[in-house]
Structures are given as structure tokens and as C-alpha cells.
Amino acid sequence: QVQLVESGGGPVQAGGSLRLSCTPSQYISNSYCMGWFRQAPGKEREGVAIIDADGATSYAESVKGRFTVSKDKATNTLYLQMNSLKPEDTAMYYCASDLSDGPLVVVLGAECGVNTWGQGTQVTVSS
């Protein structure tokens, strides 16, 4: 079973930047929907950014203009460049894709959905 492995999280001061990476444990084709979700303590998991097989992107309103999702087509590594970070961006960030036969979660008005999540990487933004 393919797993999604996130990296790149850590502590950062407000206004700083981080780049998260997500690498599938096995090769997957470019036909998969991929994205990033986050969950802050006491809150529900929310979609942050989605990129579909054609490269079209969707973002949460709270991160538009600050975060950029991208994918390396050769390795299918997913990235999330996060700039101008705010304390409210503090959360566990999860990579996601549609790697199983389960029901899809469609968020952010994207044309595709996801049903498999990684273990997460913690982002902590201090003021």
C-alpha cells in the first residue's frame, strides 16, 4: 500500500516561510489528485490546497496569496510553499491523495478528491 510521507515542518516566527514536502513511498502516476490539509488543536481538519492531475490548484481563502502548492511530475513529490506565516497557521499538516478505493473527500471547489492521508508534519508559528 502506498504511503505518503511528509517533511519540512517545524517552528518558525510569524512572517517567516517554510516548505513542506510529501513523497509517496512508491511510484504513483501523475493522474492522482493531491493536496494538503491541516488540523489545529480542538479544530476539524480542513483543506488547505489541492492540485489536480492537470495542475489546476485550489486554495483555502485563509492562505490565498501566501501559500503555493506544486508537484514535481518526475517524482510526484508534492510541495507546499508557505510564506508570510501567521500564528493561526499553526497546525499539523497532512499530505493527501486519492490512493484507495474509499469515498473521496472533495474540498475547496476542486475537480478531484482525496481519501488517503500521511502521518502529518507539525508547523508551529510563534508571534
Side-chain angles (χ1 to χ4, degrees):
Q1 184 176 358
V2 180
Q3 296 181 334
L4 301 170
V5 182
E6 303 98 334
S7 62
V12 63
Q13 290 192 333
S17 298
L18 282 175
R19 188 175 81 155
L20 306 183
S21 300
C22 170
T23 303
S25 59
Q26 302 173 33
Y27 171 78
I28 61 174
S29 74
N30 286 313
S31 64
Y32 289 96
C33 184
M34 298 188 79
W36 292 96
F37 287 66
R38 68 185 180 186
Q39 187 168 19
K43 295 188 177 181
E44 292 187 355
R45 189 174 298 188
E46 63 174 353
V48 175
I50 297 289
I51 184 166
D52 70 16
D54 295 326
T57 57
S58 303
Y59 294 93
E61 286 295 326
S62 60
V63 307
K64 281 183 179 178
R66 300 188 298 122
F67 290 11
T68 303
V69 61
S70 62
K71 186 168 64 174
D72 181 326
K73 291 185 177 180
T75 63
N76 258 327
T77 297
L78 184 71
Y79 299 101
L80 185 67
Q81 178 66 44
M82 305 186 294
N83 298 327
S84 302
L85 282 160
K86 304 176 180 179
E88 50 264 43
D89 294 318
T90 294
M92 185 72 79
Y93 282 72
Y94 298 90
C95 175
S97 188
D98 56 340
L99 299 176
S100 75
D101 295 328
L104 296 174
V105 174
V106 180
V107 295
L108 306 178
E111 294 293 323
C112 64
V114 299
N115 53 22
T116 304
W117 282 263
Q119 293 298 307
T121 184
Q122 177 68 37
V123 173
T124 303
V125 186
S126 59
S127 58

